[in-house]
Amino acid sequence: MERTVAVGTKFMLEVNASAILTHLRSAGRASVSALAKQAGLSRQAVSRSLAVLESMGLVEISAPDRAATPTGRPPQMVRFRAEAGHVLGVDMQPGHARIVVADLAGDITSEATVSLPRKGLSRALTAAVGRVLDEAGLRPGDIWHVSAAAPGIVDPATGHFTLSVSMPEVVGDTILAGLRAAVEAPVYVDNDVKLATTGERWRGTPHAEDALVFIDWGERIGAGIVLHGQLFRGASNDAGDIGYLDLCAPPASEGDEDLGPFERWVGTRELLRLTGRAVTLPELAAAAGRGEDWAVSAIGTVGARFAKGVAAIRALLDPDVIVIGGDITQLGTGLLDAVTDALRAEQLAQPRLEISALGADAIIHGAIRHSLSWVERERFDVSAIRRV
Amino acid sequence: MERTVAVGTKFMLEVNASAILTHLRSAGRASVSALAKQAGLSRQAVSRSLAVLESMGLVEISAPDRAATPTGRPPQMVRFRAEAGHVLGVDMQPGHARIVVADLAGDITSEATVSLPRKGLSRALTAAVGRVLDEAGLRPGDIWHVSAAAPGIVDPATGHFTLSVSMPEVVGDTILAGLRAAVEAPVYVDNDVKLATTGERWRGTPHAEDALVFIDWGERIGAGIVLHGQLFRGASNDAGDIGYLDLCAPPASEGDEDLGPFERWVGTRELLRLTGRAVTLPELAAAAGRGEDWAVSAIGTVGARFAKGVAAIRALLDPDVIVIGGDITQLGTGLLDAVTDALRAEQLAQPRLEISALGADAIIHGAIRHSLSWVERERFDVSAIRRV
DNA sequence: CTAACATACTTACGGACCGTACGGAAGTAA
DNA sequence: TTACTTCCGTACGGTCCGTAAGTATGTTAG
């Protein structure tokens, strides 16, 4: 029932300034006249809005550019000040963390990968972030928003980890506390696959997809789902938990009780077991590359099983594209071919399959994208623009 | 890149009028002062907006109500004119159609169920709609929007049916042409399960759910999915085609080739086959009610299989609630119990299960809701309110 | 070197909207 | 009848937008 109303004529300026800022952020640099033409406003209105944005430090009016028009008076150019603020992305993985600073345009300005102890993780994280900020020449107040990712289950209300099999040290508010001590900004914590999905959609191959499913395929299997252009979480923040998809997999065998049915059936643990040898994933990939039967056969079997999962996703969601990431991508396109072959037997038209173009980087890109969305909503939106 | 800008001060009036209309539509009736307080505007601003809305015929200023305030001058009451326009909902089923007229508040003002021929369907539909409008005392121009539903596959771009197994007579633009000849308004045609989902979410038991899956369970099985509060269609408008969900069902047997794996496994045809007798659904329901073994057992088997489908939906989507509709609901709650029992064996927490409260009415309610959404978007939104 | 032309910026004004303020209107309670 | 409460209507100042006229700063042609 909270509906926007226009209370006072200042409202118009706010609306217009916000719209102009959006234009300018996508264009990067433009003349006042060009902005006016694009926005459908008079030059005066645009100038007024720009004056406000300039006083907020969000835009900069630079010298006239004589190259912009072939004839006539050169226009003053105006530029979005991407350096007006920064966001922080953190990707926590067992033993190490990647910390990235990006400006408001999403360009990375500073980053570091640090190894972290299992004990005293919180304080070590605070110190590491402090060092990255120092390197970038930024103070804690210069960061507007922080998004952090780690494997495990997060309570979306509090940002606390309730469970993490591979990183038990992050359970509780470890990450939250460590980051809050380092910066003066809101901190968001989420599951790494969820943020990787956001990252794939932003910086991966298929940009404009309305419906995208990202599958993190390793020993465990999880998925992120983007629908209607935004990440879908589900009733208990557990949408995309396809490790527990049960497609009549055999019952759990010895030592597999911690995995879900789909993970037991197509996870990397099962894949390596199917080879009948003691090999690692890279070794398997190499053998498959040489065309050795045992390797090709194991990949074919798992690929065909995975195809059943793809078909289930297709029947229910009918996505544009399914992006595969995670450890399994070490196997390269041979895997994709195996899945695609098996899919030909399905009755429905199947979605496009792709291997993640970003790999492990998807997570950190997703974290940055999430923080930028916060900035757009909280700092660039109509309600955030007030005349000083 | 189409971003709203405030071009001219009239914009403010439009914004405010639209907001006030929204308030008024949910309240039904209110005083000017009350509206001003709720909207955070001055009485003058509200009065101006109301004058515009009145000139559009959308609101009516009625006599002062002395009961509204215990003391002081009685306020003039203002009322949303739900009768300012009407929408038409049509539910086509084999052999007959239900035609409903609703006002802008969604209240049904007139309806009829007519039997239709398979030949000359288009013209018969036109005539039937004409009679319903006559009865309601409306002219074709009084209808603002039409939504029609039928079983089958619809091309969302054109509104043409590309396939309908149970109603081959609607394939093509039959419905579209028939309705366009009867009214002077945009006509929307969609699959009946999709619209039933919309109806369930609007008028069914669980109102405010963010994630709802509606399953039409009969001989065939289809689902509608509401996510982020709106119907999800998928890349090829085929999301929710769970008849083709393959949970290791046995291969197709004689005479089942037209069904998908899930339909062959849990559809009513399989259910009746499992009884080993020549019975109809109502007979099976009655026998189960009397506790006869063969009936209870068949329902238990199919219920357990269906639970596997529920679990798959849960793993992928994690919905708040799954609503079951369709022919199968003739079996009553015994079926629901069978499914719920089987779900207890699953590892993940499962969604709430409900039997459709609306039954066959869900479709027509969904059609009305869809037309009302069109009206809200096209007639009540900021851009639609222009001073005369 | 100057005039013609093209484009951009600046200033001034009218129109429209909102909020505040004040007076009148229409009730109830003493 | 008077006091009080609440609502309605009008007038005024403030801010925003658009239009228009004038000024500034370039290029191009002679």
Side-chain angles (χ1 to χ4, degrees):
Chain A
M1 201 60 354
E2 289 286 328
R3 197 172 158 90
T4 313
V5 291
V7 46
T9 34
K10 288 183 181 176
F11 174 76
M12 307 181 66
L13 188 69
E14 295 163 15
V15 169
N16 289 340
S18 178
I20 289 167
L21 186 60
T22 303
H23 267 124
L24 198 54
R25 288 204 311 132
S26 70
R29 222 172 93 92
S31 73
V32 180
S33 306
L35 284 173
K37 199 169 293 176
Q38 284 171 38
L41 290 166
S42 71
R43 261 199 315 281
Q44 283 71 359
V46 174
S47 289
R48 273 187 290 263
S49 292
L50 287 175
V52 174
L53 293 174
E54 194 182 15
S55 76
M56 293 173 70
L58 291 178
V59 306
E60 188 181 59
I61 296 174
S62 50
D65 181 1
R66 65 164 48 95
T69 51
T71 172
R73 177 174 174 175
Q76 278 190 322
M77 300 304 283
V78 51
R79 185 181 73 84
F80 172 60
R81 286 192 68 237
E83 70 276 19
H86 291 82
V87 295
L88 196 69
V90 179
D91 174 15
M92 311 279 294
Q93 294 297 330
H96 67 276
R98 187 155 166 221
I99 301 170
V100 165
V101 177
D103 63 21
L104 297 181
D107 292 329
I108 294 175
T109 58
S110 178
E111 65 171 301
T113 301
V114 297
S115 64
L116 290 178
R118 298 188 67 149
K119 286 195 69 166
L121 177 61
S122 196
R123 242 174 299 180
L125 183 58
T126 306
V129 169
R131 283 197 303 275
V132 172
L133 292 187
D134 277 347
E135 250 176 61
L138 297 173
R139 289 171 311 162
D142 295 331
I143 299 295
W144 287 11
H145 193 261
V146 183
S147 292
I153 299 175
V154 180
D155 176 357
T158 60
H160 292 194
F161 269 86
T162 53
L163 177 70
S164 180
V165 175
S166 54
M167 286 188 79
E169 61 267 34
V170 301
V171 170
D173 69 341
T174 315
I175 298 178
L176 212 55
L179 291 172
R180 280 187 178 151
V183 296
E184 303 160 3
V187 176
Y188 175 82
V189 179
D190 202 349
N191 170 271
D192 54 355
V193 177
K194 297 271 194 291
L195 283 176
T197 305
T198 306
E200 271 305 330
R201 198 180 122 75
W202 184 38
R203 289 270 160 98
T205 320
H207 278 246
E209 311 301 339
D210 181 54
L212 176 150
V213 174
F214 173 81
I215 301 180
D216 180 70
W217 183 0
E219 185 170 306
R220 297 190 153 271
I221 302 177
I225 303 172
V226 171
L227 303 173
H228 296 138
Q230 58 180 311
L231 191 66
F232 177 70
R233 306 197 153 277
S236 44
N237 197 31
D238 196 28
D241 193 357
I242 59 171
Y244 285 86
L245 191 62
D246 187 358
L247 303 170
C248 291
S253 53
E254 291 292 317
D256 271 355
E257 292 82 3
D258 57 325
L259 299 180
F262 196 58
E263 291 161 340
R264 289 200 303 269
W265 205 42
V266 306
T268 53
R269 201 188 291 177
E270 168 75 358
L271 171 61
L272 295 179
R273 200 187 61 75
L274 280 173
T275 63
R277 314 182 175 203
V279 287
T280 61
L281 263 185
E283 288 163 6
L284 174 60
R290 290 188 303 269
E292 296 189 26
D293 267 357
W294 61 271
V296 174
S297 156
I299 292 175
T301 301
V302 165
R305 292 178 182 176
F306 187 80
K308 283 294 175 189
V310 170
I313 294 174
R314 159 61 182 87
L316 201 51
L317 283 180
D318 185 22
D320 294 282
V321 59
I322 293 181
V323 179
I324 298 172
D327 290 339
I328 202 84
T329 56
Q330 296 171 33
L331 297 181
T333 53
L335 173 78
L336 206 59
D337 293 341
V339 178
T340 309
D341 282 348
L343 278 180
R344 273 191 250 283
E346 297 294 329
Q347 298 184 46
L348 301 177
Q350 296 295 322
R352 215 165 70 235
L353 281 186
E354 299 193 359
I355 296 234
S356 164
L358 301 176
D361 290 349
I363 300 173
I364 202 80
H365 281 121
I368 292 171
R369 180 61 254 178
H370 185 273
S371 281
L372 288 177
S373 295
W374 181 93
V375 168
E376 288 169 6
R377 203 171 52 246
E378 299 292 326
R379 299 291 191 99
F380 294 162
D381 205 38
V382 173
S383 58
I385 295 174
R386 286 272 119 89
R387 167 153 289 196
V388 253
Chain B
M1 200 61 354
E2 287 289 328
R3 195 172 161 90
T4 313
V5 291
V7 48
T9 41
K10 287 182 183 176
F11 174 76
M12 309 183 65
L13 189 71
E14 294 163 14
V15 169
N16 290 340
S18 177
I20 288 167
L21 186 61
T22 303
H23 271 279
L24 200 54
R25 287 204 311 132
S26 70
R29 219 173 98 91
S31 72
V32 180
S33 307
L35 283 173
K37 201 168 293 177
Q38 282 171 37
L41 290 166
S42 70
R43 260 199 316 282
Q44 283 69 3
V46 175
S47 289
R48 272 187 290 262
S49 292
L50 287 175
V52 174
L53 293 173
E54 194 183 13
S55 76
M56 294 172 70
L58 291 178
V59 306
E60 186 180 59
I61 295 173
S62 51
D65 181 2
R66 65 164 49 94
T69 51
T71 172
R73 174 175 176 175
Q76 276 190 324
M77 300 304 284
V78 52
R79 186 182 72 84
F80 172 60
R81 287 191 69 236
E83 69 276 18
H86 291 83
V87 296
L88 195 70
V90 179
D91 174 15
M92 311 280 295
Q93 295 297 329
H96 67 277
R98 186 154 168 224
I99 300 169
V100 164
V101 177
D103 63 20
L104 297 182
D107 292 330
I108 293 174
T109 58
S110 178
E111 65 171 302
T113 301
V114 297
S115 64
L116 290 178
R118 297 189 65 152
K119 286 195 71 165
L121 177 62
S122 195
R123 241 174 299 182
L125 184 58
T126 305
V129 169
R131 284 196 301 277
V132 172
L133 290 186
D134 278 347
E135 250 176 61
L138 297 173
R139 289 171 310 163
D142 296 331
I143 299 293
W144 287 13
H145 192 262
V146 183
S147 293
I153 299 175
V154 180
D155 175 357
T158 59
H160 291 196
F161 269 85
T162 53
L163 177 70
S164 180
V165 176
S166 55
M167 289 189 75
E169 61 268 34
V170 301
V171 169
D173 69 342
T174 315
I175 298 179
L176 212 55
L179 291 172
R180 280 187 179 150
V183 296
E184 302 159 4
V187 176
Y188 174 83
V189 179
D190 202 350
N191 170 271
D192 54 355
V193 177
K194 294 274 194 292
L195 283 175
T197 306
T198 306
E200 245 346 294
R201 199 180 119 76
W202 184 38
R203 287 270 159 100
T205 321
H207 278 246
E209 310 301 340
D210 180 54
L212 176 149
V213 174
F214 173 81
I215 301 181
D216 180 70
W217 183 1
E219 185 170 306
R220 298 191 153 268
I221 303 178
I225 303 173
V226 171
L227 302 174
H228 296 139
Q230 57 180 313
L231 191 67
F232 177 71
R233 307 196 152 278
S236 45
N237 197 32
D238 195 28
D241 193 358
I242 60 170
Y244 284 86
L245 190 61
D246 186 359
L247 303 170
C248 292
S253 53
E254 291 293 318
D256 271 355
E257 292 83 2
D258 56 326
L259 300 180
F262 196 59
E263 292 161 340
R264 288 201 302 268
W265 204 42
V266 307
T268 52
R269 199 188 294 177
E270 168 75 359
L271 171 62
L272 296 177
R273 198 189 61 76
L274 279 174
T275 64
R277 313 179 176 207
V279 287
T280 62
L281 262 185
E283 287 163 6
L284 174 60
R290 290 189 302 271
E292 295 188 27
D293 266 358
W294 61 271
V296 174
S297 155
I299 292 175
T301 301
V302 164
R305 291 178 182 176
F306 187 79
K308 284 293 174 191
V310 171
I313 295 173
R314 159 61 182 88
L316 201 50
L317 283 180
D318 185 21
D320 295 281
V321 59
I322 293 180
V323 180
I324 298 172
D327 290 340
I328 202 86
T329 56
Q330 297 172 34
L331 297 181
T333 52
L335 173 78
L336 205 59
D337 295 340
V339 178
T340 309
D341 283 347
L343 278 180
R344 273 190 250 284
E346 296 294 328
Q347 298 183 49
L348 301 178
Q350 296 295 321
R352 217 166 69 233
L353 281 186
E354 298 192 359
I355 295 232
S356 164
L358 302 175
D361 290 348
I363 299 173
I364 202 83
H365 281 121
I368 293 171
R369 179 61 253 177
H370 185 272
S371 280
L372 288 177
S373 295
W374 182 92
V375 170
E376 288 170 6
R377 206 171 50 247
E378 300 291 326
R379 299 291 190 99
F380 293 162
D381 205 38
V382 174
S383 57
I385 296 175
R386 286 270 121 93
R387 168 153 289 196
V388 252

